[in-house]
Amino acid sequence: MSQSQTHQLNTPSADLLARLALIVGTEHAVLDPAAQQPYLKEWRDLYIGRTPLILRPGSTEEVSQVLALANEARVAIVPQGGNTGLVGGQIPSETGSEIVLSLKRMTRIRSVDAAGLSLTVEAGVTLADVQSAATEAGRLFPLSMASEGSCTIGGNLATNAGGVAVLSYGTTRNQVLGIEAVMADGAIWDGLKALKKDNTGYDLRDLLIGSEGTLGIITAATLRLVPAPKDQRTALVAVPSLGALLPLFRLAEDMSGAALTAFEFMSQRIVSFVARHTPGVRLPFLHVHPWWVLIEISHPLENSAAPLMEPLLAEAMKRGLVADGVIASSATQARDLWRVREAASEAQKGEGGSIKHDVSVPVALIPEFLRLADAEVERVCPGARPVPFGHFGDGNVHYNVSQPEGMEKAKFLALWEPMSHAVHGVVVGLGGSISAEHGIGRMKRDELATVKSAVEIDLMRRIKSAFDPNGILNPGKVL
Ligand SMILES: Cc1cc2nc3c(=O)[nH]c(=O)nc-3n(C[C@H](O)[C@H](O)[C@H](O)COP(=O)(O)OP(=O)(O)OC[C@H]3O[C@@H](n4cnc5c(N)ncnc54)[C@H](O)[C@@H]3O)c2cc1C
């Protein structure tokens, strides 16, 4: 078995910084500390890094030249897309010696093939812009998440992002046909094939997807499109008990089959945070209910989603699985219902510190997970407020915990490690994963070795070594 590798990386000299800046053009090399700030801290201020230089290349060729030079000089490069990642992967370390490579200028939609159901875009195109390009072509790009206005397709691929439509369409990995990437030594790999089937040896595309910037820089991708649904119905329902969630999900699957495209759940507490802290959100129910579920049904034929949704809700009510419910009667109303779910992450900020866990367990074990995790949280921090929500149909719970009312934020956040340890212990005990969709980054790096076998860790290290022998790509992340 190979031992863990440490690489001797250098602090870039003034001469190297000047040469790197020339590659992208000095107007796209950010040296000013104030202008660097948006790239150096992440969304929740959990990681704040330092850098001598932020490079904003405009083409694959420029990325290639930057990497060739950085590799030769043994200088670390941290790729960054929309900076919405939730595990610190896109933020340079505090040493001030790592260079940030932002892909945000690479925003070309290179081609759209509506008939062939594919489109090729550069890494810096936002997810929302990819969706719009697909819609304009009369197709659907099904990846969707609350950060879609800011996150980039390069970041989505690098994290193998999930989101709210995985239930029906799969994760990012399922939406990718081909990749163009720059390797650590500057070599450009053009793997932009639009093939559904390609069994020609090891799948480099699948290795790069989910590699969080540690194996190569993704510069473009050919994405799979699907036919746009002709009819869609969205409902928000109130569920009377934790025990009713699973039977309701099974009923929805039984009665709508492949047309069930979302089944997102929220605890009453997170809904109350959304109502309190999100301007313009209106809740459709007068009464308080312990659980809420957002159900979406999408159908390829006109007027075919409502005939599935209405009997589903009627049957669920008859069985006591739903206490109240509303079906959106227009696209605007559907957006309003989705807004309740999408505002969940942001709304927690208004309640002080929150300790977040992005975990998955087998779907049928979600209720047991919630019971056990709540007990662990209360043991570690009496009075802390769990606010679980997430992608029920994927077994993916965002098991976030808000600080007890009145507690000092810093004091609560100091409990991150013992609390996560306790919650992840429950997850592992139930056969789950400590990272369902956000990745490992820096946040879960040290824990990875405790949940993967020695064989897996060793193979991962060897893969890293093969792709990046000098360890310049996003050091200290994942492994
Ligand atoms: C409000 C909110 C809601 C969210 N909801 C979801 C959700 O439902 N599902 C989900 O999975 N995630 C979610 N996220 C997390 C985040 O949006 C995703 O991880 C997203 O894929 C990150 O994309 P990005 O462009 O912002 O990447 P960044 O944050 O910039 O980077 C993320 C990682 O990818 C690497 N990287 C970025 N671009 C490249 C590239 N071109 N080549 C190689 N490596 C690269 C970075 O080094 C880093 O390790 C949410 C985040 C927020 C703030």
Side-chain angles (χ1 to χ4, degrees):
M1 298 272 160
S2 66
Q3 298 301 306
S4 83
Q5 305 101 324
T6 45
H7 296 94
Q8 184 56 52
L9 293 172
N10 298 323
T11 300
S13 64
D15 172 59
L16 183 79
L17 294 178
R19 286 168 69 199
L20 287 166
L22 275 181
I23 295 173
V24 299
T26 46
E27 68 277 32
H28 302 302
V30 187
L31 288 152
D32 172 32
Q36 287 184 347
Q37 282 316 302
Y39 301 85
L40 297 182
K41 64 178 186 166
E42 56 95 78
W43 189 66
R44 296 152 303 175
D45 295 350
L46 270 187
Y47 298 96
I48 301 179
R50 287 173 53 229
T51 188
L53 179 64
I54 291 161
L55 294 170
R56 291 166 45 84
S59 70
T60 305
E61 188 49 45
E62 287 179 9
V63 175
S64 160
Q65 288 178 31
V66 166
L67 286 199
L69 194 50
N71 192 48
E72 194 185 293
R74 307 284 192 272
V75 163
I77 296 285
V78 179
Q80 189 178 99
N83 191 11
T84 67
L86 296 174
V87 288
Q90 70 280 16
I91 303 295
S93 73
E94 297 78 8
T95 60
S97 59
E98 299 176 358
I99 290 169
V100 176
L101 186 86
S102 167
L103 281 298
K104 276 179 79 172
R105 273 185 66 227
M106 293 188 57
T107 52
R108 263 193 328 131
I109 294 183
R110 290 191 189 165
S111 63
V112 181
D113 180 358
L117 288 175
S118 74
L119 107 182
T120 298
V121 296
E122 291 184 343
V125 179
T126 64
L127 174 54
D129 284 346
V130 174
Q131 293 166 346
S132 301
T135 307
E136 272 168 37
R139 302 301 188 194
L140 174 74
F141 183 63
L143 194 66
S144 174
M145 61 196 74
S147 53
E148 62 201 23
S150 310
C151 66
T152 63
I153 208 69
N156 297 149
L157 266 68
T159 56
N160 184 27
V164 295
V166 173
L167 178 64
S168 170
Y169 301 102
T171 62
T172 298
R173 190 180 298 283
N174 300 79
Q175 325 306 334
V176 181
L177 296 168
I179 282 185
E180 177 191 88
V182 178
M183 302 296 114
D185 63 359
I188 299 171
W189 173 50
D190 180 355
L192 287 177
K193 287 184 175 162
L195 300 176
K196 214 168 175 179
K197 289 182 151 186
D198 181 11
N199 272 352
T200 49
Y202 306 136
D203 198 325
L204 302 179
R205 174 194 60 182
D206 269 354
L207 272 176
L208 284 164
I209 296 171
S211 65
E212 300 183 48
T214 63
L215 299 183
I217 311 278
I218 296 163
T219 47
T222 299
L223 305 169
R224 182 178 73 103
L225 303 178
V226 295
K230 295 257 176 16
D231 193 23
Q232 210 160 38
R233 278 290 176 278
T234 306
L236 190 60
V237 300
V239 179
S241 68
L242 179 56
L245 285 171
L246 183 63
L248 176 62
F249 175 56
R250 293 291 176 227
L251 183 69
E253 278 187 321
D254 288 347
M255 292 185 66
S256 41
L260 181 66
T261 44
F263 192 95
E264 297 283 309
F265 81 122
M266 292 169 278
S267 55
Q268 163 59 31
R269 190 178 275 134
I270 191 65
V271 173
S272 71
F273 287 3
V274 167
R276 207 175 299 159
H277 302 295
T278 318
V281 162
R282 275 172 296 125
L283 300 184
F285 311 129
L286 286 177
H287 300 289
V288 171
H289 300 280
W291 296 94
W292 298 53
V293 172
L294 190 136
I295 302 174
E296 184 186 75
I297 288 178
S298 310
H299 205 282
L301 301 178
E302 308 272 3
N303 306 319
S304 300
L308 289 173
M309 184 68 93
E310 284 155 15
L312 166 62
L313 294 204
E315 182 62 24
M317 281 190 168
K318 202 171 98 193
R319 294 189 193 186
L321 302 175
V322 161
D324 205 345
V326 53
I327 302 178
S329 57
S330 67
T332 311
Q333 271 184 20
R335 285 278 5 121
D336 286 348
L337 297 185
W338 268 109
R339 184 89 189 99
V340 178
R341 166 63 186 86
E342 285 169 351
S345 298
E346 185 79 35
Q348 285 154 81
K349 283 187 177 176
E351 297 287 325
S354 75
I355 298 179
K356 305 196 178 212
H357 310 92
D358 160 46
V359 300
S360 66
V361 294
V363 179
L365 297 183
I366 289 181
E368 194 179 345
F369 163 71
L370 292 173
R371 275 190 285 267
L372 294 172
D374 284 359
E376 284 299 299
V377 164
E378 184 60 21
R379 184 179 62 74
V380 175
C381 180
R385 297 168 294 164
V387 284
F389 63 94
H391 319 294
F392 189 93
D394 311 326
N396 183 183
V397 183
H398 294 308
Y399 187 75
N400 299 349
V401 184
S402 282
Q403 66 177 69
E405 274 169 281
M407 190 176 185
E408 205 185 304
K409 183 175 171 183
K411 210 169 147 197
F412 176 69
L413 292 180
L415 294 172
W416 195 299
E417 221 179 291
M419 191 175 287
S420 285
H421 186 70
V423 170
H424 289 165
V426 173
V427 170
V428 171
L430 295 174
S433 168
I434 63 162
S435 180
E437 60 177 8
H438 296 161
I440 297 296
R442 186 163 154 189
M443 182 184 277
K444 296 180 180 173
R445 178 197 60 199
D446 296 339
E447 238 182 311
L448 191 69
T450 67
V451 296
K452 292 253 185 225
S453 69
V455 174
E456 281 173 296
I457 294 288
D458 184 56
L459 285 168
M460 285 172 73
R461 287 195 189 289
R462 291 187 206 210
I463 290 168
K464 168 73 177 166
S465 241
F467 274 75
D468 180 20
N470 298 321
I472 65 156
L473 289 175
N474 221 358
K477 314 293 168 52
V478 183
L479 287 168

